[in-house]
Amino acid sequence: MQHFPELFEAMLRERGITPEEQEGFLNPDYEKLHNPLALPDMEKARDRVIKAVKDNEHVVVFSDYDCDGLPGAVVLSDFFARIGYNNISFYVPHRHDEGFGLNQDAIKEIITRGTKLLITIDCGIADAKEVALANENGVDVIVTDHHKPNPLSAGGLPNAYAIVNQNRDDSDYPFKGLCGAALAFKLVQAVVLQETFGVKPGMEKWSLDMVAIATLSDMVPLLDENRIFARFGLSVLRKSPRPGLAALFKKMNLDQSTVSEDDVTFMITPRINAASRMGVPKDAFQLLSTKDYSEAERLALYLEQINNERKGVVASIVKEAKFRLAGREDLPDVIVIGNPEWRPALLGLVANSLVEEYERPVFIWGRSGDGTLKGSCRSYNGYDLFALMNIASGAFIEFGGHTGAGGFSVTLESLTTLEEKLSQALSNLEAGSSSGDLSLFDINLDDIGENLWNLVSSFAPFGMGNKKPIFKIPKAEIKSVRKFGKESNHLEVTFNSGKNEIKAISFFSSPDSYPTPLTPGTRVSLLANLEKSYFRNYPELRLRIVDIEP
């Protein structure tokens, strides 16, 4: 990078990228994806899928209901549609009524379909009993799941035909961070390398839009293969012919050709997840997989409506939780809070909000449709949540997840001491480096332009493990301050630069959100990310405020 060489070197250093790794990081190469056959049981899984197709067996794809499992199911739906195989059906469990993973009733229903092969996406690693029931009824099960196997699971690993999971104890797969949809894609890759079924090589790459959405949504590190999936998947997403995506972009006023990782995580993910949180998750699967434009428009409108409904419910739970926490004298290192009236499906979002506010891991519980107390947890400062729950494992009926996010169920009795046990367990853990404090890079307002943007965007896509750079701009002079948005709940501060004006925005904040008065003529120290907005098809460089200091 001929412009800003010192900044370029500092950004590489901050990410721990060595000179040898630099080329691979800045220019991800699709050919550098690891061999899918290096995944445990992949050869068996591949051969079993090929046999099912050749023998015309009924295949059921059982996927999780979130924005990893659903895109993963679409990856397999794409593959089977592409090879013209129709003897297939899909099962997406109802989040509130059935909960996470396989369940006995679902297996019984799947058996009535005459199923010979069941493929799970983003779940199954903890479901030994359900897999056993499938086996007893002549159904082979291929588990594809990235969640860490839980040593407490009754019966250990399920006795499945194949378990494709890079986090198995016996796995020597070189990258542990793949999400569920990426594993589904790996399965498709393995199959087409062996048997093309008459389809042109490389056609599976059209499913990378789904892999990118899942990778960006599922709190997995954007390093190694995930960086390749996110970068190439975003390119596919920008030209994807899916009617469902077109309808969604239209509803959100997004220009498909400029979609960024932020658009995925802040706009697409919440709408896909709204289906399971507020309604029927299969609607989101239908939206992503349909070929029918009118069905796509109907479903996009529906997801928009229930997402708006979801926002209201989440806001009221956050408000209640904060009110209760404000009444406590001092907060422990891990917060546990809940209410039997709260719906578990919404609690991950509430946990995110509380983690941001209180800067510590949060466990939040409610009551599910079958009366079980279930909850979600989110990490802070890179603490490994799975390891944390493992230390306090006796306090849970069951738990699962990965480093940054997880789910659990508890008894009413164990809730009385859960906060204390988790806070104690946290003292035995080290904070991770994945989301610790980032360095600040000093720049001037005059530095902001296309050259700086080109440097920043060469490090994209940003996410877990590859955070956006935060720039510190000292002595920035405020020119004007205004609120914007339908409800005037967003803030725009315009700064005087020698050459031009620079806008800095912050969503859901106001001038009094900051410790220093924001009045024209005042000089402040601004902490911000650099971004390019394409609002109303007008490309504009602007700053996204992180903080404003005196």
Side-chain angles (χ1 to χ4, degrees), residues 3-281:
H3 304 283
F4 309 104
E6 287 170 16
L7 175 59
F8 177 65
E9 294 299 331
M11 282 177 66
L12 288 171
R13 266 197 314 278
E14 184 193 41
R15 285 156 177 72
I17 296 161
T18 63
E20 299 75 47
E21 296 164 335
Q22 182 178 315
E23 176 58 26
F25 181 84
L26 295 171
N27 299 300
D29 180 355
Y30 186 80
E31 301 306 318
K32 296 273 165 66
L33 286 173
H34 304 306
N35 180 356
L37 295 180
L39 283 157
D41 283 359
M42 183 58 97
E43 219 162 306
K44 283 175 80 178
R46 171 200 70 187
D47 293 346
R48 186 65 188 84
V49 171
I50 293 170
K51 178 185 185 305
V53 174
K54 290 189 169 169
D55 295 353
N56 195 31
E57 297 176 328
H58 186 69
V59 178
V60 170
V61 174
F62 183 107
S63 72
D64 185 28
Y65 40 62
D66 70 358
C67 204
D68 182 11
L70 293 171
V74 177
V75 169
L76 284 191
S77 166
D78 287 350
F79 164 71
F80 286 113
R82 215 169 269 132
I83 66 170
Y85 191 73
N86 303 319
N87 196 2
I88 174 164
S89 60
F90 294 83
Y91 192 108
V92 185
H94 190 285
R95 187 174 195 147
H96 192 59
D97 300 341
E98 296 179 77
F100 176 75
L102 297 168
N103 63 78
Q104 300 272 331
D105 289 342
I107 296 293
K108 287 171 190 165
E109 202 270 303
I110 286 164
I111 291 162
T112 65
R113 300 182 188 182
T115 308
K116 290 283 173 258
L117 176 62
L118 170 62
I119 304 172
T120 75
I121 311 278
D122 193 31
C123 60
I125 196 72
D127 301 327
K129 283 183 190 157
E130 290 75 11
V131 171
L133 179 62
N135 290 343
E136 285 159 26
N137 287 275
V139 179
D140 287 338
V141 183
I142 294 172
V143 169
T144 73
D145 192 355
H146 69 117
H147 294 99
K148 293 179 180 176
N150 186 340
L152 294 180
S153 281
L157 282 182
N159 184 25
Y161 188 90
I163 299 176
V164 180
N165 183 331
Q166 75 277 14
N167 285 310
R168 277 171 56 165
D169 291 341
D170 59 351
S171 165
D172 49 13
Y173 193 70
F175 180 58
K176 303 297 184 195
L178 294 173
C179 68
L183 283 177
F185 185 79
K186 288 273 174 189
L187 175 59
V188 171
Q189 270 190 319
V191 171
V192 298
L193 282 169
Q194 180 76 7
E195 173 63 76
T196 64
F197 295 104
V199 175
K200 234 168 50 184
M203 289 301 284
E204 72 280 359
K205 291 178 190 172
W206 280 105
S207 298
L208 285 171
D209 55 350
M210 293 294 109
V211 183
I213 287 174
T215 299
L216 292 164
S217 303
D218 206 49
M219 297 181 83
V220 288
L222 288 191
L223 305 165
D224 203 290
E225 280 191 296
N226 284 346
R227 185 163 169 79
I228 299 172
F229 281 138
R231 178 76 78 87
F232 284 90
L234 278 169
S235 311
V236 174
L237 185 60
R238 290 174 191 134
K239 30 182 202 276
S240 173
R242 295 183 201 276
L245 287 175
L248 213 47
F249 291 135
K250 190 172 149 191
K251 199 92 243 109
M252 300 184 295
N253 286 326
L254 270 185
D255 176 355
Q256 182 172 352
S257 65
T258 60
V259 167
S260 70
E261 63 269 39
D262 283 352
D263 295 326
V264 172
T265 51
F266 294 116
M267 307 282 277
I268 297 173
T269 307
R271 285 159 175 81
I272 300 302
N273 280 336
S276 67
R277 297 189 201 281
M278 303 297 291
V280 183

Side-chain angles (χ1 to χ4, degrees), residues 227-457:
R227 185 163 169 79
I228 299 172
F229 281 138
R231 178 76 78 87
F232 284 90
L234 278 169
S235 311
V236 174
L237 185 60
R238 290 174 191 134
K239 30 182 202 276
S240 173
R242 295 183 201 276
L245 287 175
L248 213 47
F249 291 135
K250 190 172 149 191
K251 199 92 243 109
M252 300 184 295
N253 286 326
L254 270 185
D255 176 355
Q256 182 172 352
S257 65
T258 60
V259 167
S260 70
E261 63 269 39
D262 283 352
D263 295 326
V264 172
T265 51
F266 294 116
M267 307 282 277
I268 297 173
T269 307
R271 285 159 175 81
I272 300 302
N273 280 336
S276 67
R277 297 189 201 281
M278 303 297 291
V280 183
K282 192 125 192 215
D283 288 332
F285 170 74
Q286 289 300 127
L287 174 81
L288 295 173
S289 58
T290 185
K291 304 280 187 280
D292 179 326
Y293 280 89
S294 56
E295 184 186 29
E297 292 202 333
R298 178 181 65 75
L299 288 166
L301 174 65
Y302 170 66
L303 291 190
E304 185 67 25
Q305 287 164 343
I306 60 173
N307 187 49
N308 288 333
E309 208 180 300
R310 187 266 313 159
K311 284 180 193 169
V313 181
V314 169
S316 69
I317 297 176
V318 169
K319 191 175 172 183
E320 186 189 331
K322 285 183 179 175
F323 176 75
R324 281 170 50 191
L325 291 169
R328 293 171 62 171
E329 268 179 33
D330 40 30
L331 292 175
D333 293 337
V334 176
I335 290 173
V336 176
I337 188 167
N339 182 333
E341 299 300 308
W342 293 346
R343 194 171 171 164
L346 299 170
L347 299 182
L349 301 166
V350 178
N352 284 337
S353 192
L354 298 179
V355 165
E356 221 168 280
E357 175 84 10
Y358 298 104
E359 301 187 333
R360 62 201 69 203
V362 171
F363 284 67
I364 181 160
W365 58 270
R367 186 185 284 142
S368 70
D370 63 1
T372 317
L373 298 182
K374 285 188 173 170
S376 284
C377 46
R378 294 292 182 269
S379 183
Y380 174 72
N381 211 18
Y383 283 109
D384 185 335
L385 276 186
F386 190 79
L388 179 66
M389 290 190 278
N390 233 336
I391 297 170
S393 59
F396 299 100
I397 299 171
E398 51 185 4
F399 65 86
H402 39 86
T403 308
F408 61 91
S409 58
V410 282
T411 62
L412 202 51
E413 296 75 49
S414 65
L415 276 174
T416 51
T417 55
L418 184 60
E419 197 169 64
E420 193 186 330
K421 283 181 179 163
L422 288 169
S423 296
Q424 225 168 350
L426 193 78
S427 61
N428 299 319
L429 274 187
E430 281 180 31
S433 56
S434 64
S435 56
D437 289 337
L438 283 170
S439 331
L440 301 176
F441 302 108
D442 284 357
I443 60 166
N444 297 313
L445 283 171
D446 288 348
D447 293 329
I448 294 167
E450 287 299 323
N451 289 334
L452 182 61
W453 172 246
N454 290 339
L455 183 148
V456 169
S457 55

